[in-house]
Amino acid sequence: FQVRESEVAVVRTFGRIAKPTADNPGGVISKPGPYARWPWPIQSVSIYDHRLQVTTTVGEETPTRDGKPIIIATTVGWRIADPYTFAMRYNNTAAAEESLKTRTRSDQKAVIGEYNFADFVSVDPNELKYDAIEKQVANELAKAERDYGIEVKYVRLEKLALPSKISETVFEAMKKERQAKAAGITTEGESKAAQIKATAEGI
C-alpha cells in the first residue's frame, strides 16, 4: 500500500493495532512511501488524511444568559494528531466529524449561556464578544482532544440568526433602547448649549 505526504496509515493485525511507543511506531505509519502488508484477514490498513479538516455544525436554537434565543452555526478546523487514538475510536473521518459536531454543539450551548444577547447582536461593535466566545468554545473542545485523537486548530462562529417569532420583538426593544440613549444625549447637549448661551449673554 502507498502512504502519501498528506496521509497517515494505521495497520491492524488480526483486528488489533499495535500501540506506538517512544522507540516503536507500532501500527501507525506516518512517513510517506510504499509499504507491504499481509493479506486480509491477517492485516488490514486504514488510511487517513491528516491535513486540516473543516467541520460546520447546523445552527440550533440556544438561549443567552438573559433568556433571548439565538441560532449559531459554528465551523471547527481540526486535524488528526494521534492516529492511534483516532483509529481506536473511529472507523472513518465521517464518524469523527459527527462526534465533533455533537461535542461542539454541547460546549457551544454552555458557553453561549454565559453571555448576554448584546454580546452577539448590537449596533455598537465594541459590545460584541465573538473573539472571546470563539476562544472559550475552542478551550472547551481542547479538553476532548485526548478522547478523539484530534487537535482543534480554530473555532469560528460563522452564522447567527434569530428565531422568526422573536426577531421583530428583539429589534424593536433594541431600537427603543438606542432611542432612549440618543434622547438622553440630546437633552444633555441642549442643556450644555443653554448654559453656554446664558454665560455668553451675561458677559
Side-chain angles (χ1 to χ4, degrees):
F1 62 96
Q2 180 78 25
V3 178
R4 297 181 176 84
E5 191 73 34
S6 60
E7 297 173 335
V8 62
V10 175
V11 180
R12 290 177 171 82
T13 302
F14 295 112
R16 296 177 179 271
I17 307 171
K19 188 173 184 178
T21 64
D23 302 321
N24 190 333
V28 177
I29 300 174
S30 56
K31 293 182 179 181
Y35 293 88
R37 69 173 178 87
W38 291 99
W40 186 87
I42 299 176
Q43 286 186 323
S44 62
V45 179
S46 298
I47 296 179
Y48 306 108
D49 189 333
H50 65 68
R51 293 175 295 184
L52 183 68
Q53 307 290 319
V54 178
T55 299
T56 301
T57 65
V58 176
E60 63 178 351
E61 190 172 308
T62 304
T64 58
R65 181 168 56 188
D66 48 355
K68 295 183 175 66
I70 59 175
I71 301 172
I72 290 184
T74 303
T75 293
V76 180
W78 60 280
R79 57 178 292 274
I80 298 174
D82 181 353
Y84 173 79
T85 300
F86 186 88
M88 289 291 289
R89 187 176 181 98
Y90 305 110
N91 291 325
N92 51 58
T93 302
E97 282 192 299
E98 288 305 313
S99 288
L100 183 59
K101 287 179 181 179
T102 300
R103 182 60 185 254
T104 300
R105 287 194 295 267
S106 175
D107 289 342
Q108 176 179 286
K109 184 173 292 187
V111 171
I112 289 175
E114 299 178 12
Y115 290 84
N116 292 323
F117 183 80
D119 298 327
F120 298 90
V121 180
S122 176
V123 295
D124 183 358
N126 294 322
E127 291 185 351
L128 302 177
K129 297 181 180 179
Y130 285 99
D131 290 344
I133 295 166
E134 290 171 347
K135 184 176 180 180
Q136 191 170 342
V137 174
N139 288 341
E140 290 299 319
L141 286 176
K143 299 175 183 178
E145 290 178 6
R146 64 179 180 274
D147 298 326
Y148 298 166
I150 66 172
E151 176 187 9
V152 174
K153 304 296 288 186
Y154 67 83
V155 172
R156 296 286 184 270
L157 303 182
E158 294 289 352
K159 184 179 180 181
L160 183 145
L162 299 178
S164 57
K165 61 184 178 181
I166 71 158
S167 296
E168 185 175 344
T169 302
V170 169
F171 284 116
E172 185 63 28
M174 290 177 64
K175 182 179 178 180
K176 288 182 179 179
E177 178 186 349
R178 296 301 170 181
Q179 287 175 340
K181 288 185 178 181
I185 294 172
T186 300
T187 300
E188 183 180 354
E190 290 175 346
S191 176
K192 288 183 178 179
Q195 292 175 7
I196 294 171
K197 184 178 179 180
T199 301
E201 290 176 347
I203 295 175

